[in-house]
Amino acid sequence: MGIKVWWPLLFVGAIILTCVMIFPSDLRLADLLGDAGRYDEAIENYRKVLAKEPGRGDIRMQLGQLYLLNDEPEKALAEYEAASEYVELDAVQLSQMLQIYSSLGYRAKAVSVLEKLVKLAPEEQQYRVRLADAYEWNSDTDKAIALYDELLGADTQNLDYLNKLIAL
């Protein structure tokens, strides 16, 4: 009795597994195309998925990554910004956004992203230093002075902070 009952179930399971492998979903196909370096086709497939489910922040992040790999930073930024409405961005993703904003010269947005990074990881001194530099770059010397003063209070032996503070 055992083999007569399980055989049809195994047969149906094998057919379903074969169909999944032969006819991948748009999402799986987009992942495979992206891994193969066919970015334009992968982007098109991710767009199909987003047309069906526009609130998928994870897909928007993947799409942003593909746009970066495809040398389209403005489109990558648009996807990252859209993704941030649905999911909380981590430090790596915010750092990528910061790099793009800085390279494109969007000073105010770079400062905004750095402020988020400092809130996300307040123990990371590198973000605080970059934020102070960004304040200086954005001609917001009062905030830069206050942050350098705070950094110097935490590390009194750091001459770089002192030099920056004197220069401001």
Side-chain angles (χ1 to χ4, degrees), residues 26 29-35 37-48 63 66:
D26 288 334
L29 184 59
D31 289 339
L32 292 172
L33 289 169
D35 291 343
R38 296 166 57 186
Y39 304 131
D40 291 327
E41 295 174 55
I43 288 170
E44 182 181 321
N45 279 296
Y46 278 127
R47 285 274 168 221
K48 286 179 188 177
L63 196 53
L66 285 174

Side-chain angles (χ1 to χ4, degrees), residues 7 18 28 36 39 42 55 77 85 120 128 141 143 165:
W7 184 84
T18 303
R28 174 131 170 80
Y39 304 131
L77 273 177
E85 296 176 16
L120 186 65
R128 300 171 80 73
T141 54
K143 288 183 179 178
L165 199 55

Side-chain angles (χ1 to χ4, degrees), residues 123-133 136 144-168:
E123 70 282 352
E124 290 288 332
Q125 287 294 95
Q126 66 177 352
Y127 295 143
R128 300 171 80 73
V129 172
R130 288 180 73 185
L131 180 59
D133 290 340
E136 182 183 352
I145 289 171
L147 194 52
Y148 278 124
D149 197 29
E150 183 181 318
L151 286 166
L152 192 59
D155 185 8
T156 57
Q157 301 299 316
N158 194 320
L159 294 177
D160 291 333
Y161 301 157
L162 185 60
N163 288 335
K164 289 280 191 171
L165 199 55
I166 291 170
L168 291 172

Side-chain angles (χ1 to χ4, degrees), residues 83-159:
S84 68
E85 296 176 16
Y86 302 106
V87 295
E88 191 70 31
L89 301 181
D90 63 16
V92 172
Q93 295 157 340
L94 286 172
S95 295
Q96 288 175 338
M97 286 180 71
L98 173 64
Q99 185 178 12
I100 297 168
Y101 282 140
S102 298
S103 68
L104 295 176
Y106 298 149
R107 293 178 179 192
K109 290 186 177 188
V111 168
S112 166
V113 170
L114 274 167
E115 288 171 345
K116 288 179 186 175
L117 277 168
V118 167
K119 286 180 185 173
L120 186 65
E123 70 282 352
E124 290 288 332
Q125 287 294 95
Q126 66 177 352
Y127 295 143
R128 300 171 80 73
V129 172
R130 288 180 73 185
L131 180 59
D133 290 340
Y135 282 147
E136 182 183 352
W137 178 52
N138 207 22
S139 302
D140 197 349
T141 54
D142 293 336
K143 288 183 179 178
I145 289 171
L147 194 52
Y148 278 124
D149 197 29
E150 183 181 318
L151 286 166
L152 192 59
D155 185 8
T156 57
Q157 301 299 316
N158 194 320
L159 294 177

